[in-house]
Amino acid sequence: MVKKDKGFRMLSMYDRLVDGQVLFKSEEADRFEVNEKSIQRDIEEIREYLDEQAVQTGGRRQLIYDHRQHGYRIGQSECGMLSNEEVLAVTKILLDSRAFPRKEMMSILDRLLSCCVPQENQKLAGELIANEKHHYIELRHKKSFLKNMWEIGIAIQNKRYIEIAYERGSDYKVVNRKVQPLAIMFSEYYFYLAAHIENIDRETEFENANDKFPTIYRIDRIQKLEMLKEQFKIPYRNRFEEGEYRKRIQFMQGGRMQRTKFWYHGINAEAVLDRLPTAQILKEEDGKFLIVAETFGKGIDMWLRSQGDRIEIVQN
């Protein structure tokens, strides 16, 4: 038995709660040689403290009574939790994205379950994705790029130039570029940087020297990155709107704006409209749809070819 004053008693109880232990009133009363009413008052004071911290600092911890264990423990408030349905959806999306090397993906998933799922649901949530975790296949590059991506995000926010050593996918040659970073985007397994290049011969390097739209870089192919002190300025009217750009680009293949018109032979054009957010159905006849879409670059050609005889191009 430990007989100490109230201050020691409450600190002892708080420390054990923070460590994840469950406290039982009868056991605490025996431990400190007080009655259960004293322990109940201590518990209420700890609860009030955690609630006040939540208001002041945005913390999510709260003291809860666990009916299954018939004791008190620290949990996270419901506002900080994901529902069972939400966590299942998010973890499935992450796994299907295959965006990260295996070690990083498993770490992200484990912490997502640990921090965002109520304790009583963590076992079930883990079991629902266990098979996919076991059979997870990482991408061939197997590179960790999160640090570079965060640095890019800071550079975008502060409008600072970055210098990168970039491995081109066409010939695997490493080239050095000074760029204005504009946006980070994700598509088809990879994260990308959209940026304007500085100090480059556009006539020799670009298919279209007058192309004013950003160049697209796969972030995992950035071998070195340095954020410079030099800043760039973009007038608000000329700001890059990644949401609008994202609607019009396929497979992250940049290039000039083009308008494509085609017949889609199918029962339902919903998949086409979802794939091409700018697409519009001009008319429907005989079980086929005449569709027009605005897109950047040649990515649209890749998608159209993948559809086989369901697509019939209309020459403008």
Side-chain angles (χ1 to χ4, degrees):
M1 296 183 182
V2 181
K3 191 172 183 179
K4 298 286 184 178
D5 61 20
K6 179 178 179 179
F8 178 90
R9 187 172 72 234
M10 290 187 63
L11 285 172
S12 172
M13 293 169 62
Y14 178 79
D15 282 345
R16 284 179 285 128
L17 284 166
V18 170
D19 284 341
Q21 297 183 34
V22 178
L23 301 188
F24 306 95
K25 282 198 298 184
S26 60
E27 289 184 5
E28 296 304 307
D30 290 342
R31 178 192 297 272
F32 294 105
E33 297 182 331
V34 296
N35 58 44
E36 291 189 20
K37 288 184 178 180
S38 296
I39 298 299
Q40 185 63 50
R41 287 193 292 269
D42 295 342
I43 287 172
E44 292 306 317
E45 289 187 40
I46 293 173
R47 190 198 307 278
E48 289 176 8
Y49 170 75
L50 290 172
D51 290 345
E52 184 176 337
Q53 287 296 105
V55 172
Q56 292 181 357
T57 67
R60 298 180 299 180
R61 295 186 304 175
Q62 61 179 187
L63 188 60
I64 61 176
Y65 182 75
D66 190 319
H67 291 277
R68 293 191 303 172
Q69 301 186 70
H70 304 292
Y72 293 88
R73 63 176 176 83
I74 287 182
Q76 291 182 313
S77 62
E78 290 302 315
C79 65
M81 298 287 99
L82 294 174
S83 69
N84 296 339
E85 298 87 350
E86 290 168 338
V87 75
L88 180 61
V90 170
T91 52
K92 290 286 186 178
I93 291 170
L94 272 173
L95 284 162
D96 193 52
S97 75
R98 297 176 59 203
F100 306 104
R102 182 180 183 83
K103 184 178 179 180
E104 285 185 355
M105 178 64 81
M106 297 305 111
S107 176
I108 291 170
L109 291 171
D110 290 344
R111 282 179 288 147
L112 181 64
L113 294 179
S114 175
C115 298
C116 299
V117 182
Q119 189 175 28
E120 58 270 21
N121 295 335
Q122 289 179 13
K123 184 175 184 295
L124 174 59
E127 290 173 348
L128 286 171
I129 62 170
N131 187 261
E132 284 182 271
K133 286 177 66 177
H134 178 71
H135 292 285
Y136 180 73
I137 300 176
E138 62 186 350
L139 299 177
R140 292 184 180 274
H141 66 72
K142 299 183 180 181
K143 295 177 182 176
S144 176
F145 54 84
L146 287 174
K147 183 179 179 181
N148 276 351
M149 192 160 71
W150 179 249
E151 289 294 310
I152 291 169
I154 293 174
I156 291 171
Q157 185 67 21
N158 296 320
K159 293 183 172 57
R160 289 172 60 177
Y161 284 98
I162 60 174
E163 286 186 343
I164 60 174
Y166 184 74
E167 181 185 16
R168 294 194 302 210
S170 57
D171 55 10
Y172 301 104
K173 180 181 178 181
V174 176
V175 294
N176 296 307
R177 296 284 187 259
K178 177 183 176 182
V179 302
Q180 296 178 5
L182 302 176
I184 295 171
M185 295 180 285
F186 178 81
S187 177
E188 310 289 344
Y189 309 121
Y190 306 110
F191 285 95
Y192 294 87
L193 162 66
H196 286 311
I197 309 175
E198 294 283 304
N199 307 323
I200 192 171
D201 186 344
R202 302 178 70 88
E203 293 290 341
T204 59
E205 295 288 341
F206 281 32
E207 182 178 334
N208 175 19
N210 297 318
D211 186 359
K212 296 181 180 180
F213 294 101
T215 301
I216 305 298
Y217 299 95
R218 247 177 60 183
I219 292 179
D220 61 276
R221 287 183 177 158
I222 296 176
Q223 296 189 352
K224 293 182 181 179
L225 182 150
E226 180 183 359
M227 182 162 47
L228 307 179
K229 293 182 179 179
E230 183 182 359
Q231 292 184 296
F232 59 89
K233 293 183 180 180
I234 298 178
Y236 182 78
R237 66 180 181 277
N238 296 331
R239 70 193 187 281
F240 179 69
E241 296 186 87
E242 56 262 44
E244 288 299 315
Y245 186 73
R246 190 68 185 85
K247 291 179 185 177
R248 294 171 169 81
I249 190 168
Q250 297 295 311
F251 300 107
M252 300 308 291
Q253 298 290 315
R256 68 179 66 186
M257 175 82 79
Q258 64 184 50
R259 190 170 184 268
T260 305
K261 187 185 295 185
F262 58 90
W263 285 99
Y264 175 71
H265 300 256
I267 299 173
N268 192 325
E270 181 179 306
V272 178
L273 300 180
D274 286 341
R275 180 75 209 196
L276 308 173
T278 63
Q280 295 180 344
I281 297 176
L282 301 181
K283 65 179 177 178
E284 177 184 357
E285 63 180 41
D286 301 327
K288 59 182 182 179
F289 302 85
L290 181 60
I291 297 174
V292 64
E294 286 186 348
T295 59
F296 290 114
K298 298 180 179 180
I300 183 67
D301 299 330
M302 296 169 59
W303 182 80
L304 291 171
R305 288 197 300 269
S306 73
Q307 300 304 299
D309 58 9
R310 286 180 292 180
I311 295 292
E312 178 187 345
I313 304 296
V314 176
Q315 299 299 327
N316 292 321

PDB file of all heavy atoms in Angstrom, residues 195-225:
ATOM      1  N   ALA A 195       5.812  22.966 -62.008  1.00  0.00           N
ATOM      2  CA  ALA A 195       6.729  24.088 -61.792  1.00  0.00           C
ATOM      3  C   ALA A 195       7.079  24.757 -63.111  1.00  0.00           C
ATOM      4  O   ALA A 195       7.063  24.131 -64.173  1.00  0.00           O
ATOM      5  CB  ALA A 195       8.003  23.597 -61.105  1.00  0.00           C
ATOM      6  N   HIS A 196       7.418  26.036 -63.030  1.00  0.00           N
ATOM      7  CA  HIS A 196       7.950  26.767 -64.182  1.00  0.00           C
ATOM      8  C   HIS A 196       9.471  26.723 -64.131  1.00  0.00           C
ATOM      9  O   HIS A 196      10.077  26.960 -63.079  1.00  0.00           O
ATOM     10  CB  HIS A 196       7.486  28.227 -64.168  1.00  0.00           C
ATOM     11  CG  HIS A 196       6.044  28.401 -64.551  1.00  0.00           C
ATOM     12  ND1 HIS A 196       5.502  27.823 -65.675  1.00  0.00           N
ATOM     13  CD2 HIS A 196       5.044  29.111 -63.964  1.00  0.00           C
ATOM     14  CE1 HIS A 196       4.225  28.159 -65.762  1.00  0.00           C
ATOM     15  NE2 HIS A 196       3.919  28.927 -64.740  1.00  0.00           N
ATOM     16  N   ILE A 197      10.109  26.435 -65.265  1.00  0.00           N
ATOM     17  CA  ILE A 197      11.564  26.347 -65.335  1.00  0.00           C
ATOM     18  C   ILE A 197      12.155  27.723 -65.608  1.00  0.00           C
ATOM     19  O   ILE A 197      11.639  28.502 -66.406  1.00  0.00           O
ATOM     20  CB  ILE A 197      12.007  25.381 -66.446  1.00  0.00           C
ATOM     21  CG1 ILE A 197      11.287  24.037 -66.327  1.00  0.00           C
ATOM     22  CG2 ILE A 197      13.509  25.172 -66.400  1.00  0.00           C
ATOM     23  CD1 ILE A 197      11.597  23.087 -67.457  1.00  0.00           C
ATOM     24  N   GLU A 198      13.274  27.993 -64.950  1.00  0.00           N
ATOM     25  CA  GLU A 198      14.031  29.216 -65.178  1.00  0.00           C
ATOM     26  C   GLU A 198      15.275  28.902 -66.021  1.00  0.00           C
ATOM     27  O   GLU A 198      15.822  27.796 -65.955  1.00  0.00           O
ATOM     28  CB  GLU A 198      14.483  29.815 -63.838  1.00  0.00           C
ATOM     29  CG  GLU A 198      13.351  30.315 -62.968  1.00  0.00           C
ATOM     30  CD  GLU A 198      12.810  31.655 -63.449  1.00  0.00           C
ATOM     31  OE1 GLU A 198      13.594  32.611 -63.570  1.00  0.00           O
ATOM     32  OE2 GLU A 198      11.590  31.724 -63.713  1.00  0.00           O
ATOM     33  N   ASN A 199      15.716  29.907 -66.782  1.00  0.00           N
ATOM     34  CA  ASN A 199      17.015  29.845 -67.470  1.00  0.00           C
ATOM     35  C   ASN A 199      17.164  28.589 -68.336  1.00  0.00           C
ATOM     36  O   ASN A 199      18.098  27.807 -68.181  1.00  0.00           O
ATOM     37  CB  ASN A 199      18.168  29.906 -66.460  1.00  0.00           C
ATOM     38  CG  ASN A 199      18.057  31.102 -65.532  1.00  0.00           C
ATOM     39  OD1 ASN A 199      17.643  32.178 -65.948  1.00  0.00           O
ATOM     40  ND2 ASN A 199      18.423  30.901 -64.269  1.00  0.00           N
ATOM     41  N   ILE A 200      16.244  28.396 -69.275  1.00  0.00           N
ATOM     42  CA  ILE A 200      16.315  27.233 -70.150  1.00  0.00           C
ATOM     43  C   ILE A 200      16.023  27.669 -71.587  1.00  0.00           C
ATOM     44  O   ILE A 200      15.243  28.607 -71.826  1.00  0.00           O
ATOM     45  CB  ILE A 200      15.312  26.150 -69.699  1.00  0.00           C
ATOM     46  CG1 ILE A 200      15.579  24.835 -70.428  1.00  0.00           C
ATOM     47  CG2 ILE A 200      13.881  26.601 -69.889  1.00  0.00           C
ATOM     48  CD1 ILE A 200      14.794  23.661 -69.893  1.00  0.00           C
ATOM     49  N   ASP A 201      16.660  27.010 -72.527  1.00  0.00           N
ATOM     50  CA  ASP A 201      16.424  27.279 -73.942  1.00  0.00           C
ATOM     51  C   ASP A 201      15.143  26.559 -74.345  1.00  0.00           C
ATOM     52  O   ASP A 201      15.139  25.360 -74.612  1.00  0.00           O
ATOM     53  CB  ASP A 201      17.603  26.779 -74.777  1.00  0.00           C
ATOM     54  CG  ASP A 201      17.475  27.165 -76.253  1.00  0.00           C
ATOM     55  OD1 ASP A 201      16.359  27.543 -76.675  1.00  0.00           O
ATOM     56  OD2 ASP A 201      18.473  27.073 -76.980  1.00  0.00           O
ATOM     57  N   ARG A 202      14.042  27.287 -74.382  1.00  0.00           N
ATOM     58  CA  ARG A 202      12.732  26.679 -74.648  1.00  0.00           C
ATOM     59  C   ARG A 202      12.640  26.146 -76.075  1.00  0.00           C
ATOM     60  O   ARG A 202      11.902  25.195 -76.332  1.00  0.00           O
ATOM     61  CB  ARG A 202      11.622  27.698 -74.372  1.00  0.00           C
ATOM     62  CG  ARG A 202      11.623  28.235 -72.940  1.00  0.00           C
ATOM     63  CD  ARG A 202      10.523  29.269 -72.737  1.00  0.00           C
ATOM     64  NE  ARG A 202       9.213  28.652 -72.767  1.00  0.00           N
ATOM     65  CZ  ARG A 202       8.604  28.138 -71.697  1.00  0.00           C
ATOM     66  NH1 ARG A 202       9.197  28.145 -70.516  1.00  0.00           N
ATOM     67  NH2 ARG A 202       7.398  27.613 -71.798  1.00  0.00           N
ATOM     68  N   GLU A 203      13.394  26.739 -76.997  1.00  0.00           N
ATOM     69  CA  GLU A 203      13.329  26.295 -78.388  1.00  0.00           C
ATOM     70  C   GLU A 203      13.865  24.874 -78.542  1.00  0.00           C
ATOM     71  O   GLU A 203      13.350  24.084 -79.334  1.00  0.00           O
ATOM     72  CB  GLU A 203      14.130  27.248 -79.279  1.00  0.00           C
ATOM     73  CG  GLU A 203      13.541  28.648 -79.399  1.00  0.00           C
ATOM     74  CD  GLU A 203      12.238  28.673 -80.195  1.00  0.00           C
ATOM     75  OE1 GLU A 203      11.981  27.703 -80.936  1.00  0.00           O
ATOM     76  OE2 GLU A 203      11.484  29.659 -80.059  1.00  0.00           O
ATOM     77  N   THR A 204      14.912  24.548 -77.792  1.00  0.00           N
ATOM     78  CA  THR A 204      15.513  23.220 -77.932  1.00  0.00           C
ATOM     79  C   THR A 204      14.937  22.200 -76.949  1.00  0.00           C
ATOM     80  O   THR A 204      14.915  21.009 -77.238  1.00  0.00           O
ATOM     81  CB  THR A 204      17.041  23.302 -77.714  1.00  0.00           C
ATOM     82  OG1 THR A 204      17.299  23.823 -76.395  1.00  0.00           O
ATOM     83  CG2 THR A 204      17.679  24.207 -78.748  1.00  0.00           C
ATOM     84  N   GLU A 205      14.481  22.665 -75.807  1.00  0.00           N
ATOM     85  CA  GLU A 205      14.031  21.750 -74.762  1.00  0.00           C
ATOM     86  C   GLU A 205      12.536  21.451 -74.815  1.00  0.00           C
ATOM     87  O   GLU A 205      12.090  20.425 -74.321  1.00  0.00           O
ATOM     88  CB  GLU A 205      14.378  22.318 -73.377  1.00  0.00           C
ATOM     89  CG  GLU A 205      15.865  22.428 -73.090  1.00  0.00           C
ATOM     90  CD  GLU A 205      16.524  21.088 -72.865  1.00  0.00           C
ATOM     91  OE1 GLU A 205      15.805  20.107 -72.572  1.00  0.00           O
ATOM     92  OE2 GLU A 205      17.760  21.005 -72.978  1.00  0.00           O
ATOM     93  N   PHE A 206      11.760  22.370 -75.404  1.00  0.00           N
ATOM     94  CA  PHE A 206      10.309  22.219 -75.392  1.00  0.00           C
ATOM     95  C   PHE A 206       9.775  21.877 -76.780  1.00  0.00           C
ATOM     96  O   PHE A 206      10.266  22.387 -77.788  1.00  0.00           O
ATOM     97  CB  PHE A 206       9.635  23.510 -74.919  1.00  0.00           C
ATOM     98  CG  PHE A 206       9.667  23.707 -73.427  1.00  0.00           C
ATOM     99  CD1 PHE A 206      10.721  23.241 -72.659  1.00  0.00           C
ATOM    100  CD2 PHE A 206       8.635  24.376 -72.791  1.00  0.00           C
ATOM    101  CE1 PHE A 206      10.766  23.441 -71.292  1.00  0.00           C
ATOM    102  CE2 PHE A 206       8.658  24.576 -71.420  1.00  0.00           C
ATOM    103  CZ  PHE A 206       9.734  24.106 -70.668  1.00  0.00           C
ATOM    104  N   GLU A 207       8.791  21.025 -76.806  1.00  0.00           N
ATOM    105  CA  GLU A 207       8.107  20.724 -78.067  1.00  0.00           C
ATOM    106  C   GLU A 207       7.382  21.954 -78.569  1.00  0.00           C
ATOM    107  O   GLU A 207       7.316  22.211 -79.770  1.00  0.00           O
ATOM    108  CB  GLU A 207       7.112  19.574 -77.838  1.00  0.00           C
ATOM    109  CG  GLU A 207       6.369  19.144 -79.084  1.00  0.00           C
ATOM    110  CD  GLU A 207       5.427  17.981 -78.815  1.00  0.00           C
ATOM    111  OE1 GLU A 207       5.683  17.206 -77.866  1.00  0.00           O
ATOM    112  OE2 GLU A 207       4.435  17.854 -79.559  1.00  0.00           O
ATOM    113  N   ASN A 208       6.826  22.726 -77.630  1.00  0.00           N
ATOM    114  CA  ASN A 208       6.147  23.973 -77.954  1.00  0.00           C
ATOM    115  C   ASN A 208       6.796  25.074 -77.138  1.00  0.00           C
ATOM    116  O   ASN A 208       6.562  25.201 -75.939  1.00  0.00           O
ATOM    117  CB  ASN A 208       4.649  23.867 -77.633  1.00  0.00           C
ATOM    118  CG  ASN A 208       3.923  25.194 -77.844  1.00  0.00           C
ATOM    119  OD1 ASN A 208       4.421  26.078 -78.531  1.00  0.00           O
ATOM    120  ND2 ASN A 208       2.753  25.314 -77.229  1.00  0.00           N
ATOM    121  N   ALA A 209       7.645  25.881 -77.787  1.00  0.00           N
ATOM    122  CA  ALA A 209       8.412  26.903 -77.072  1.00  0.00           C
ATOM    123  C   ALA A 209       7.524  27.947 -76.422  1.00  0.00           C
ATOM    124  O   ALA A 209       7.919  28.602 -75.456  1.00  0.00           O
ATOM    125  CB  ALA A 209       9.395  27.576 -78.029  1.00  0.00           C
ATOM    126  N   ASN A 210       6.308  28.115 -76.914  1.00  0.00           N
ATOM    127  CA  ASN A 210       5.392  29.131 -76.375  1.00  0.00           C
ATOM    128  C   ASN A 210       4.444  28.581 -75.310  1.00  0.00           C
ATOM    129  O   ASN A 210       3.526  29.273 -74.888  1.00  0.00           O
ATOM    130  CB  ASN A 210       4.573  29.743 -77.521  1.00  0.00           C
ATOM    131  CG  ASN A 210       5.454  30.476 -78.513  1.00  0.00           C
ATOM    132  OD1 ASN A 210       6.376  31.191 -78.134  1.00  0.00           O
ATOM    133  ND2 ASN A 210       5.164  30.293 -79.808  1.00  0.00           N
ATOM    134  N   ASP A 211       4.694  27.358 -74.903  1.00  0.00           N
ATOM    135  CA  ASP A 211       3.842  26.732 -73.882  1.00  0.00           C
ATOM    136  C   ASP A 211       4.022  27.458 -72.550  1.00  0.00           C
ATOM    137  O   ASP A 211       5.113  27.490 -71.979  1.00  0.00           O
ATOM    138  CB  ASP A 211       4.228  25.253 -73.732  1.00  0.00           C
ATOM    139  CG  ASP A 211       3.291  24.510 -72.789  1.00  0.00           C
ATOM    140  OD1 ASP A 211       2.369  25.134 -72.238  1.00  0.00           O
ATOM    141  OD2 ASP A 211       3.501  23.297 -72.599  1.00  0.00           O
ATOM    142  N   LYS A 212       2.969  28.071 -72.052  1.00  0.00           N
ATOM    143  CA  LYS A 212       3.029  28.839 -70.811  1.00  0.00           C
ATOM    144  C   LYS A 212       2.629  28.012 -69.583  1.00  0.00           C
ATOM    145  O   LYS A 212       2.673  28.511 -68.465  1.00  0.00           O
ATOM    146  CB  LYS A 212       2.121  30.069 -70.920  1.00  0.00           C
ATOM    147  CG  LYS A 212       2.554  31.056 -71.995  1.00  0.00           C
ATOM    148  CD  LYS A 212       1.622  32.257 -72.021  1.00  0.00           C
ATOM    149  CE  LYS A 212       2.065  33.242 -73.116  1.00  0.00           C
ATOM    150  NZ  LYS A 212       1.173  34.429 -73.173  1.00  0.00           N
ATOM    151  N   PHE A 213       2.246  26.770 -69.819  1.00  0.00           N
ATOM    152  CA  PHE A 213       1.802  25.945 -68.699  1.00  0.00           C
ATOM    153  C   PHE A 213       3.000  25.269 -68.040  1.00  0.00           C
ATOM    154  O   PHE A 213       4.070  25.121 -68.644  1.00  0.00           O
ATOM    155  CB  PHE A 213       0.785  24.920 -69.183  1.00  0.00           C
ATOM    156  CG  PHE A 213      -0.487  25.555 -69.644  1.00  0.00           C
ATOM    157  CD1 PHE A 213      -0.745  25.726 -71.003  1.00  0.00           C
ATOM    158  CD2 PHE A 213      -1.412  26.018 -68.716  1.00  0.00           C
ATOM    159  CE1 PHE A 213      -1.913  26.329 -71.429  1.00  0.00           C
ATOM    160  CE2 PHE A 213      -2.588  26.629 -69.145  1.00  0.00           C
ATOM    161  CZ  PHE A 213      -2.838  26.789 -70.494  1.00  0.00           C
ATOM    162  N   PRO A 214       2.866  24.865 -66.780  1.00  0.00           N
ATOM    163  CA  PRO A 214       4.021  24.332 -66.034  1.00  0.00           C
ATOM    164  C   PRO A 214       4.507  22.997 -66.552  1.00  0.00           C
ATOM    165  O   PRO A 214       3.791  22.247 -67.209  1.00  0.00           O
ATOM    166  CB  PRO A 214       3.469  24.198 -64.603  1.00  0.00           C
ATOM    167  CG  PRO A 214       1.994  24.060 -64.771  1.00  0.00           C
ATOM    168  CD  PRO A 214       1.640  24.904 -65.954  1.00  0.00           C
ATOM    169  N   THR A 215       5.766  22.711 -66.221  1.00  0.00           N
ATOM    170  CA  THR A 215       6.363  21.408 -66.487  1.00  0.00           C
ATOM    171  C   THR A 215       6.044  20.492 -65.314  1.00  0.00           C
ATOM    172  O   THR A 215       5.962  20.930 -64.166  1.00  0.00           O
ATOM    173  CB  THR A 215       7.886  21.543 -66.659  1.00  0.00           C
ATOM    174  OG1 THR A 215       8.146  22.445 -67.746  1.00  0.00           O
ATOM    175  CG2 THR A 215       8.527  20.198 -66.952  1.00  0.00           C
ATOM    176  N   ILE A 216       5.866  19.202 -65.599  1.00  0.00           N
ATOM    177  CA  ILE A 216       5.482  18.234 -64.581  1.00  0.00           C
ATOM    178  C   ILE A 216       6.673  17.333 -64.252  1.00  0.00           C
ATOM    179  O   ILE A 216       7.303  16.765 -65.149  1.00  0.00           O
ATOM    180  CB  ILE A 216       4.298  17.364 -65.066  1.00  0.00           C
ATOM    181  CG1 ILE A 216       3.128  18.253 -65.498  1.00  0.00           C
ATOM    182  CG2 ILE A 216       3.864  16.409 -63.966  1.00  0.00           C
ATOM    183  CD1 ILE A 216       2.543  19.109 -64.411  1.00  0.00           C
ATOM    184  N   TYR A 217       6.991  17.209 -62.965  1.00  0.00           N
ATOM    185  CA  TYR A 217       8.088  16.360 -62.504  1.00  0.00           C
ATOM    186  C   TYR A 217       7.553  15.317 -61.526  1.00  0.00           C
ATOM    187  O   TYR A 217       6.793  15.654 -60.614  1.00  0.00           O
ATOM    188  CB  TYR A 217       9.152  17.188 -61.774  1.00  0.00           C
ATOM    189  CG  TYR A 217       9.802  18.260 -62.614  1.00  0.00           C
ATOM    190  CD1 TYR A 217       9.321  19.561 -62.592  1.00  0.00           C
ATOM    191  CD2 TYR A 217      10.899  17.968 -63.408  1.00  0.00           C
ATOM    192  CE1 TYR A 217       9.920  20.561 -63.351  1.00  0.00           C
ATOM    193  CE2 TYR A 217      11.513  18.961 -64.174  1.00  0.00           C
ATOM    194  CZ  TYR A 217      11.009  20.250 -64.142  1.00  0.00           C
ATOM    195  OH  TYR A 217      11.600  21.223 -64.894  1.00  0.00           O
ATOM    196  N   ARG A 218       7.963  14.071 -61.697  1.00  0.00           N
ATOM    197  CA  ARG A 218       7.641  13.048 -60.705  1.00  0.00           C
ATOM    198  C   ARG A 218       8.557  13.245 -59.498  1.00  0.00           C
ATOM    199  O   ARG A 218       9.774  13.231 -59.631  1.00  0.00           O
ATOM    200  CB  ARG A 218       7.828  11.651 -61.292  1.00  0.00           C
ATOM    201  CG  ARG A 218       6.519  10.890 -61.433  1.00  0.00           C
ATOM    202  CD  ARG A 218       6.702   9.548 -62.064  1.00  0.00           C
ATOM    203  NE  ARG A 218       7.589   8.658 -61.323  1.00  0.00           N
ATOM    204  CZ  ARG A 218       7.922   7.442 -61.747  1.00  0.00           C
ATOM    205  NH1 ARG A 218       7.444   6.995 -62.890  1.00  0.00           N
ATOM    206  NH2 ARG A 218       8.723   6.675 -61.036  1.00  0.00           N
ATOM    207  N   ILE A 219       7.967  13.415 -58.330  1.00  0.00           N
ATOM    208  CA  ILE A 219       8.756  13.777 -57.151  1.00  0.00           C
ATOM    209  C   ILE A 219       9.744  12.678 -56.767  1.00  0.00           C
ATOM    210  O   ILE A 219      10.854  12.965 -56.308  1.00  0.00           O
ATOM    211  CB  ILE A 219       7.824  14.142 -55.980  1.00  0.00           C
ATOM    212  CG1 ILE A 219       7.081  15.451 -56.315  1.00  0.00           C
ATOM    213  CG2 ILE A 219       8.599  14.309 -54.679  1.00  0.00           C
ATOM    214  CD1 ILE A 219       6.107  15.920 -55.249  1.00  0.00           C
ATOM    215  N   ASP A 220       9.384  11.402 -56.975  1.00  0.00           N
ATOM    216  CA  ASP A 220      10.318  10.335 -56.608  1.00  0.00           C
ATOM    217  C   ASP A 220      11.555  10.322 -57.488  1.00  0.00           C
ATOM    218  O   ASP A 220      12.550   9.682 -57.153  1.00  0.00           O
ATOM    219  CB  ASP A 220       9.620   8.975 -56.656  1.00  0.00           C
ATOM    220  CG  ASP A 220       9.109   8.649 -58.053  1.00  0.00           C
ATOM    221  OD1 ASP A 220       8.007   9.099 -58.403  1.00  0.00           O
ATOM    222  OD2 ASP A 220       9.818   7.947 -58.785  1.00  0.00           O
ATOM    223  N   ARG A 221      11.522  11.032 -58.625  1.00  0.00           N
ATOM    224  CA  ARG A 221      12.688  11.092 -59.511  1.00  0.00           C
ATOM    225  C   ARG A 221      13.606  12.270 -59.191  1.00  0.00           C
ATOM    226  O   ARG A 221      14.635  12.442 -59.850  1.00  0.00           O
ATOM    227  CB  ARG A 221      12.229  11.175 -60.967  1.00  0.00           C
ATOM    228  CG  ARG A 221      11.665   9.869 -61.501  1.00  0.00           C
ATOM    229  CD  ARG A 221      11.299   9.995 -62.958  1.00  0.00           C
ATOM    230  NE  ARG A 221      10.833   8.719 -63.499  1.00  0.00           N
ATOM    231  CZ  ARG A 221      10.080   8.610 -64.581  1.00  0.00           C
ATOM    232  NH1 ARG A 221       9.721   9.696 -65.252  1.00  0.00           N
ATOM    233  NH2 ARG A 221       9.683   7.430 -65.010  1.00  0.00           N
ATOM    234  N   ILE A 222      13.231  13.074 -58.212  1.00  0.00           N
ATOM    235  CA  ILE A 222      14.100  14.181 -57.798  1.00  0.00           C
ATOM    236  C   ILE A 222      15.187  13.611 -56.892  1.00  0.00           C
ATOM    237  O   ILE A 222      14.921  13.157 -55.781  1.00  0.00           O
ATOM    238  CB  ILE A 222      13.294  15.270 -57.065  1.00  0.00           C
ATOM    239  CG1 ILE A 222      12.273  15.899 -58.018  1.00  0.00           C
ATOM    240  CG2 ILE A 222      14.233  16.339 -56.509  1.00  0.00           C
ATOM    241  CD1 ILE A 222      11.359  16.927 -57.364  1.00  0.00           C
ATOM    242  N   GLN A 223      16.418  13.638 -57.385  1.00  0.00           N
ATOM    243  CA  GLN A 223      17.523  13.034 -56.646  1.00  0.00           C
ATOM    244  C   GLN A 223      18.113  13.976 -55.602  1.00  0.00           C
ATOM    245  O   GLN A 223      18.562  13.548 -54.541  1.00  0.00           O
ATOM    246  CB  GLN A 223      18.605  12.578 -57.622  1.00  0.00           C
ATOM    247  CG  GLN A 223      18.130  11.482 -58.566  1.00  0.00           C
ATOM    248  CD  GLN A 223      19.271  10.881 -59.374  1.00  0.00           C
ATOM    249  OE1 GLN A 223      20.411  11.372 -59.357  1.00  0.00           O
ATOM    250  NE2 GLN A 223      18.979   9.814 -60.094  1.00  0.00           N
ATOM    251  N   LYS A 224      18.139  15.274 -55.925  1.00  0.00           N
ATOM    252  CA  LYS A 224      18.602  16.283 -54.972  1.00  0.00           C
ATOM    253  C   LYS A 224      17.681  17.484 -55.047  1.00  0.00           C
ATOM    254  O   LYS A 224      17.147  17.800 -56.117  1.00  0.00           O
ATOM    255  CB  LYS A 224      20.053  16.696 -55.279  1.00  0.00           C
ATOM    256  CG  LYS A 224      21.085  15.611 -55.056  1.00  0.00           C
ATOM    257  CD  LYS A 224      22.484  16.136 -55.352  1.00  0.00           C
ATOM    258  CE  LYS A 224      23.527  15.045 -55.151  1.00  0.00           C
ATOM    259  NZ  LYS A 224      24.902  15.537 -55.458  1.00  0.00           N
ATOM    260  N   LEU A 225      17.536  18.154 -53.925  1.00  0.00           N
ATOM    261  CA  LEU A 225      16.655  19.325 -53.890  1.00  0.00           C
ATOM    262  C   LEU A 225      17.247  20.336 -52.926  1.00  0.00           C
ATOM    263  O   LEU A 225      17.633  19.994 -51.808  1.00  0.00           O
ATOM    264  CB  LEU A 225      15.244  18.923 -53.458  1.00  0.00           C
ATOM    265  CG  LEU A 225      14.178  20.019 -53.411  1.00  0.00           C
ATOM    266  CD1 LEU A 225      12.805  19.419 -53.709  1.00  0.00           C
ATOM    267  CD2 LEU A 225      14.144  20.712 -52.047  1.00  0.00           C
TER     268      LEU A 225
END
